PDB file of all heavy atoms in Angstrom:
ATOM      1  N   TYR O 728     143.109  49.724 145.668  1.00  0.00           N
ATOM      2  CA  TYR O 728     143.635  50.641 144.660  1.00  0.00           C
ATOM      3  C   TYR O 728     144.771  49.946 143.929  1.00  0.00           C
ATOM      4  O   TYR O 728     145.484  49.115 144.506  1.00  0.00           O
ATOM      5  CB  TYR O 728     144.141  51.939 145.302  1.00  0.00           C
ATOM      6  CG  TYR O 728     143.034  52.719 145.960  1.00  0.00           C
ATOM      7  CD1 TYR O 728     142.716  52.503 147.302  1.00  0.00           C
ATOM      8  CD2 TYR O 728     142.292  53.645 145.244  1.00  0.00           C
ATOM      9  CE1 TYR O 728     141.687  53.198 147.908  1.00  0.00           C
ATOM     10  CE2 TYR O 728     141.253  54.346 145.842  1.00  0.00           C
ATOM     11  CZ  TYR O 728     140.953  54.121 147.171  1.00  0.00           C
ATOM     12  OH  TYR O 728     139.926  54.806 147.764  1.00  0.00           O
ATOM     13  N   CYS O 729     144.954  50.291 142.684  1.00  0.00           N
ATOM     14  CA  CYS O 729     146.005  49.688 141.879  1.00  0.00           C
ATOM     15  C   CYS O 729     147.372  50.149 142.381  1.00  0.00           C
ATOM     16  O   CYS O 729     147.614  51.357 142.489  1.00  0.00           O
ATOM     17  CB  CYS O 729     145.829  50.070 140.407  1.00  0.00           C
ATOM     18  SG  CYS O 729     147.126  49.392 139.349  1.00  0.00           S
ATOM     19  N   PRO O 730     148.285  49.199 142.682  1.00  0.00           N
ATOM     20  CA  PRO O 730     149.618  49.592 143.137  1.00  0.00           C
ATOM     21  C   PRO O 730     150.470  50.182 142.009  1.00  0.00           C
ATOM     22  O   PRO O 730     151.515  50.769 142.274  1.00  0.00           O
ATOM     23  CB  PRO O 730     150.216  48.280 143.648  1.00  0.00           C
ATOM     24  CG  PRO O 730     149.496  47.221 142.904  1.00  0.00           C
ATOM     25  CD  PRO O 730     148.116  47.750 142.653  1.00  0.00           C
ATOM     26  N   HIS O 731     150.030  50.045 140.764  1.00  0.00           N
ATOM     27  CA  HIS O 731     150.777  50.555 139.619  1.00  0.00           C
ATOM     28  C   HIS O 731     150.398  51.994 139.269  1.00  0.00           C
ATOM     29  O   HIS O 731     151.265  52.829 139.038  1.00  0.00           O
ATOM     30  CB  HIS O 731     150.573  49.658 138.391  1.00  0.00           C
ATOM     31  CG  HIS O 731     150.869  48.222 138.662  1.00  0.00           C
ATOM     32  ND1 HIS O 731     152.137  47.738 138.878  1.00  0.00           N
ATOM     33  CD2 HIS O 731     150.033  47.157 138.781  1.00  0.00           C
ATOM     34  CE1 HIS O 731     152.079  46.430 139.111  1.00  0.00           C
ATOM     35  NE2 HIS O 731     150.814  46.060 139.070  1.00  0.00           N
ATOM     36  N   CYS O 732     149.076  52.272 139.242  1.00  0.00           N
ATOM     37  CA  CYS O 732     148.626  53.603 138.804  1.00  0.00           C
ATOM     38  C   CYS O 732     147.827  54.360 139.856  1.00  0.00           C
ATOM     39  O   CYS O 732     147.601  55.559 139.723  1.00  0.00           O
ATOM     40  CB  CYS O 732     147.809  53.492 137.518  1.00  0.00           C
ATOM     41  SG  CYS O 732     146.167  52.748 137.755  1.00  0.00           S
ATOM     42  N   GLY O 733     147.371  53.672 140.905  1.00  0.00           N
ATOM     43  CA  GLY O 733     146.635  54.333 141.973  1.00  0.00           C
ATOM     44  C   GLY O 733     145.127  54.404 141.776  1.00  0.00           C
ATOM     45  O   GLY O 733     144.416  54.884 142.654  1.00  0.00           O
ATOM     46  N   ASN O 734     144.616  53.943 140.642  1.00  0.00           N
ATOM     47  CA  ASN O 734     143.165  53.984 140.398  1.00  0.00           C
ATOM     48  C   ASN O 734     142.421  53.032 141.321  1.00  0.00           C
ATOM     49  O   ASN O 734     142.937  51.988 141.712  1.00  0.00           O
ATOM     50  CB  ASN O 734     142.852  53.597 138.948  1.00  0.00           C
ATOM     51  CG  ASN O 734     143.060  54.737 137.977  1.00  0.00           C
ATOM     52  OD1 ASN O 734     143.427  55.842 138.367  1.00  0.00           O
ATOM     53  ND2 ASN O 734     142.834  54.461 136.715  1.00  0.00           N
ATOM     54  N   LYS O 735     141.170  53.420 141.657  1.00  0.00           N
ATOM     55  CA  LYS O 735     140.304  52.546 142.450  1.00  0.00           C
ATOM     56  C   LYS O 735     139.953  51.338 141.600  1.00  0.00           C
ATOM     57  O   LYS O 735     139.689  51.449 140.413  1.00  0.00           O
ATOM     58  CB  LYS O 735     139.036  53.297 142.872  1.00  0.00           C
ATOM     59  CG  LYS O 735     138.083  52.464 143.706  1.00  0.00           C
ATOM     60  CD  LYS O 735     137.631  53.218 144.925  1.00  0.00           C
ATOM     61  CE  LYS O 735     136.614  52.438 145.721  1.00  0.00           C
ATOM     62  NZ  LYS O 735     137.210  51.480 146.616  1.00  0.00           N
ATOM     63  N   LEU O 736     139.998  50.173 142.214  1.00  0.00           N
ATOM     64  CA  LEU O 736     139.737  48.928 141.502  1.00  0.00           C
ATOM     65  C   LEU O 736     138.249  48.626 141.437  1.00  0.00           C
ATOM     66  O   LEU O 736     137.480  49.051 142.305  1.00  0.00           O
ATOM     67  CB  LEU O 736     140.458  47.778 142.193  1.00  0.00           C
ATOM     68  CG  LEU O 736     141.967  47.929 142.340  1.00  0.00           C
ATOM     69  CD1 LEU O 736     142.537  46.774 143.145  1.00  0.00           C
ATOM     70  CD2 LEU O 736     142.639  48.022 140.982  1.00  0.00           C
ATOM     71  N   ILE O 737     137.852  47.899 140.417  1.00  0.00           N
ATOM     72  CA  ILE O 737     136.498  47.382 140.301  1.00  0.00           C
ATOM     73  C   ILE O 737     136.560  45.876 140.547  1.00  0.00           C
ATOM     74  O   ILE O 737     137.635  45.292 140.608  1.00  0.00           O
ATOM     75  CB  ILE O 737     135.895  47.678 138.899  1.00  0.00           C
ATOM     76  CG1 ILE O 737     136.691  46.928 137.820  1.00  0.00           C
ATOM     77  CG2 ILE O 737     135.844  49.170 138.633  1.00  0.00           C
ATOM     78  CD1 ILE O 737     135.981  46.814 136.481  1.00  0.00           C
ATOM     79  N   LYS O 738     135.411  45.249 140.685  1.00  0.00           N
ATOM     80  CA  LYS O 738     135.351  43.794 140.760  1.00  0.00           C
ATOM     81  C   LYS O 738     135.021  43.293 139.358  1.00  0.00           C
ATOM     82  O   LYS O 738     134.079  43.763 138.728  1.00  0.00           O
ATOM     83  CB  LYS O 738     134.279  43.325 141.743  1.00  0.00           C
ATOM     84  CG  LYS O 738     134.570  43.667 143.182  1.00  0.00           C
ATOM     85  CD  LYS O 738     135.643  42.769 143.729  1.00  0.00           C
ATOM     86  CE  LYS O 738     135.821  43.003 145.227  1.00  0.00           C
ATOM     87  NZ  LYS O 738     136.811  42.165 145.819  1.00  0.00           N
ATOM     88  N   LYS O 739     135.827  42.348 138.858  1.00  0.00           N
ATOM     89  CA  LYS O 739     135.615  41.799 137.531  1.00  0.00           C
ATOM     90  C   LYS O 739     135.684  40.282 137.628  1.00  0.00           C
ATOM     91  O   LYS O 739     136.568  39.737 138.295  1.00  0.00           O
ATOM     92  CB  LYS O 739     136.683  42.309 136.562  1.00  0.00           C
ATOM     93  CG  LYS O 739     136.518  41.787 135.146  1.00  0.00           C
ATOM     94  CD  LYS O 739     137.547  42.383 134.206  1.00  0.00           C
ATOM     95  CE  LYS O 739     137.347  41.829 132.796  1.00  0.00           C
ATOM     96  NZ  LYS O 739     138.332  42.374 131.875  1.00  0.00           N
ATOM     97  N   GLU O 740     134.758  39.605 136.956  1.00  0.00           N
ATOM     98  CA  GLU O 740     134.762  38.156 136.970  1.00  0.00           C
ATOM     99  C   GLU O 740     135.914  37.649 136.107  1.00  0.00           C
ATOM    100  O   GLU O 740     136.037  38.001 134.938  1.00  0.00           O
ATOM    101  CB  GLU O 740     133.432  37.601 136.473  1.00  0.00           C
ATOM    102  CG  GLU O 740     133.289  36.134 136.759  1.00  0.00           C
ATOM    103  CD  GLU O 740     131.860  35.625 136.598  1.00  0.00           C
ATOM    104  OE1 GLU O 740     131.006  36.358 136.087  1.00  0.00           O
ATOM    105  OE2 GLU O 740     131.617  34.482 137.006  1.00  0.00           O
ATOM    106  N   ILE O 741     136.766  36.827 136.723  1.00  0.00           N
ATOM    107  CA  ILE O 741     137.949  36.290 136.049  1.00  0.00           C
ATOM    108  C   ILE O 741     137.852  34.762 136.058  1.00  0.00           C
ATOM    109  O   ILE O 741     138.167  34.111 137.056  1.00  0.00           O
ATOM    110  CB  ILE O 741     139.260  36.720 136.755  1.00  0.00           C
ATOM    111  CG1 ILE O 741     139.327  38.219 136.974  1.00  0.00           C
ATOM    112  CG2 ILE O 741     140.481  36.178 136.006  1.00  0.00           C
ATOM    113  CD1 ILE O 741     139.576  39.046 135.729  1.00  0.00           C
ATOM    114  N   GLY O 742     137.401  34.179 134.967  1.00  0.00           N
ATOM    115  CA  GLY O 742     137.326  32.720 134.833  1.00  0.00           C
ATOM    116  C   GLY O 742     136.699  32.044 136.025  1.00  0.00           C
ATOM    117  O   GLY O 742     135.660  32.492 136.534  1.00  0.00           O
ATOM    118  N   ASP O 743     137.316  30.973 136.478  1.00  0.00           N
ATOM    119  CA  ASP O 743     136.806  30.203 137.617  1.00  0.00           C
ATOM    120  C   ASP O 743     137.086  30.863 138.960  1.00  0.00           C
ATOM    121  O   ASP O 743     136.640  30.385 139.995  1.00  0.00           O
ATOM    122  CB  ASP O 743     137.452  28.802 137.637  1.00  0.00           C
ATOM    123  CG  ASP O 743     137.040  27.957 136.450  1.00  0.00           C
ATOM    124  OD1 ASP O 743     135.992  28.238 135.851  1.00  0.00           O
ATOM    125  OD2 ASP O 743     137.781  27.012 136.130  1.00  0.00           O
ATOM    126  N   GLU O 744     137.856  31.944 138.959  1.00  0.00           N
ATOM    127  CA  GLU O 744     138.255  32.606 140.204  1.00  0.00           C
ATOM    128  C   GLU O 744     137.132  33.444 140.816  1.00  0.00           C
ATOM    129  O   GLU O 744     137.217  33.842 141.970  1.00  0.00           O
ATOM    130  CB  GLU O 744     139.481  33.499 139.965  1.00  0.00           C
ATOM    131  CG  GLU O 744     140.687  32.762 139.440  1.00  0.00           C
ATOM    132  CD  GLU O 744     141.191  31.685 140.386  1.00  0.00           C
ATOM    133  OE1 GLU O 744     141.173  31.895 141.604  1.00  0.00           O
ATOM    134  OE2 GLU O 744     141.610  30.628 139.886  1.00  0.00           O
ATOM    135  N   GLY O 745     136.119  33.762 140.053  1.00  0.00           N
ATOM    136  CA  GLY O 745     135.038  34.612 140.540  1.00  0.00           C
ATOM    137  C   GLY O 745     135.391  36.076 140.350  1.00  0.00           C
ATOM    138  O   GLY O 745     136.172  36.435 139.461  1.00  0.00           O
ATOM    139  N   PHE O 746     134.810  36.933 141.195  1.00  0.00           N
ATOM    140  CA  PHE O 746     135.039  38.370 141.070  1.00  0.00           C
ATOM    141  C   PHE O 746     136.329  38.758 141.790  1.00  0.00           C
ATOM    142  O   PHE O 746     136.487  38.506 142.983  1.00  0.00           O
ATOM    143  CB  PHE O 746     133.838  39.157 141.603  1.00  0.00           C
ATOM    144  CG  PHE O 746     132.665  39.091 140.673  1.00  0.00           C
ATOM    145  CD1 PHE O 746     131.715  38.081 140.785  1.00  0.00           C
ATOM    146  CD2 PHE O 746     132.535  40.027 139.660  1.00  0.00           C
ATOM    147  CE1 PHE O 746     130.647  38.011 139.903  1.00  0.00           C
ATOM    148  CE2 PHE O 746     131.469  39.968 138.775  1.00  0.00           C
ATOM    149  CZ  PHE O 746     130.528  38.955 138.894  1.00  0.00           C
ATOM    150  N   ILE O 747     137.229  39.362 141.043  1.00  0.00           N
ATOM    151  CA  ILE O 747     138.573  39.712 141.510  1.00  0.00           C
ATOM    152  C   ILE O 747     138.762  41.223 141.373  1.00  0.00           C
ATOM    153  O   ILE O 747     138.280  41.825 140.404  1.00  0.00           O
ATOM    154  CB  ILE O 747     139.632  39.003 140.618  1.00  0.00           C
ATOM    155  CG1 ILE O 747     139.442  37.482 140.650  1.00  0.00           C
ATOM    156  CG2 ILE O 747     141.058  39.375 141.028  1.00  0.00           C
ATOM    157  CD1 ILE O 747     139.647  36.842 141.985  1.00  0.00           C
ATOM    158  N   PRO O 748     139.470  41.864 142.322  1.00  0.00           N
ATOM    159  CA  PRO O 748     139.806  43.277 142.128  1.00  0.00           C
ATOM    160  C   PRO O 748     140.560  43.440 140.796  1.00  0.00           C
ATOM    161  O   PRO O 748     141.475  42.666 140.497  1.00  0.00           O
ATOM    162  CB  PRO O 748     140.706  43.606 143.322  1.00  0.00           C
ATOM    163  CG  PRO O 748     140.341  42.592 144.357  1.00  0.00           C
ATOM    164  CD  PRO O 748     139.995  41.348 143.590  1.00  0.00           C
ATOM    165  N   PHE O 749     140.155  44.454 140.019  1.00  0.00           N
ATOM    166  CA  PHE O 749     140.691  44.621 138.665  1.00  0.00           C
ATOM    167  C   PHE O 749     140.914  46.101 138.383  1.00  0.00           C
ATOM    168  O   PHE O 749     140.081  46.940 138.707  1.00  0.00           O
ATOM    169  CB  PHE O 749     139.685  44.053 137.650  1.00  0.00           C
ATOM    170  CG  PHE O 749     140.189  44.021 136.244  1.00  0.00           C
ATOM    171  CD1 PHE O 749     140.935  42.947 135.784  1.00  0.00           C
ATOM    172  CD2 PHE O 749     139.919  45.057 135.366  1.00  0.00           C
ATOM    173  CE1 PHE O 749     141.404  42.910 134.480  1.00  0.00           C
ATOM    174  CE2 PHE O 749     140.375  45.036 134.058  1.00  0.00           C
ATOM    175  CZ  PHE O 749     141.124  43.955 133.616  1.00  0.00           C
ATOM    176  N   CYS O 750     142.060  46.419 137.774  1.00  0.00           N
ATOM    177  CA  CYS O 750     142.345  47.796 137.380  1.00  0.00           C
ATOM    178  C   CYS O 750     142.008  47.947 135.904  1.00  0.00           C
ATOM    179  O   CYS O 750     142.650  47.335 135.044  1.00  0.00           O
ATOM    180  CB  CYS O 750     143.816  48.147 137.621  1.00  0.00           C
ATOM    181  SG  CYS O 750     144.210  49.839 137.105  1.00  0.00           S
ATOM    182  N   GLU O 751     141.010  48.781 135.621  1.00  0.00           N
ATOM    183  CA  GLU O 751     140.607  49.015 134.225  1.00  0.00           C
ATOM    184  C   GLU O 751     141.685  49.789 133.477  1.00  0.00           C
ATOM    185  O   GLU O 751     141.883  49.569 132.282  1.00  0.00           O
ATOM    186  CB  GLU O 751     139.282  49.784 134.182  1.00  0.00           C
ATOM    187  CG  GLU O 751     138.111  48.973 134.689  1.00  0.00           C
ATOM    188  CD  GLU O 751     136.810  49.752 134.681  1.00  0.00           C
ATOM    189  OE1 GLU O 751     136.733  50.770 135.416  1.00  0.00           O
ATOM    190  OE2 GLU O 751     135.894  49.349 133.940  1.00  0.00           O
ATOM    191  N   ASN O 752     142.388  50.674 134.166  1.00  0.00           N
ATOM    192  CA  ASN O 752     143.428  51.477 133.523  1.00  0.00           C
ATOM    193  C   ASN O 752     144.621  50.614 133.078  1.00  0.00           C
ATOM    194  O   ASN O 752     145.114  50.745 131.959  1.00  0.00           O
ATOM    195  CB  ASN O 752     143.902  52.588 134.472  1.00  0.00           C
ATOM    196  CG  ASN O 752     144.886  53.525 133.819  1.00  0.00           C
ATOM    197  OD1 ASN O 752     144.630  54.075 132.759  1.00  0.00           O
ATOM    198  ND2 ASN O 752     146.033  53.701 134.456  1.00  0.00           N
TER     199      ASN O 752
END
C-alpha cells in the first residue's frame, strides 16, 4: 500500500528495474 495515500499498489514496469510496486494515485 502507498505510504503517502494508502491506496493499494499495482505492479508497473519501470525501465530496466522490471515490475515495481507503483501508486497510480
Side-chain angles (χ1 to χ4, degrees):
Y728 296 90
C729 179
H731 307 290
C732 71
N734 280 359
K735 180 132 176 83
L736 303 175
I737 64 163
K738 293 285 187 179
K739 181 177 180 181
E740 193 166 10
I741 308 287
D743 294 338
E744 301 299 322
F746 286 90
I747 302 296
F749 187 86
C750 179
E751 292 178 297
N752 185 53

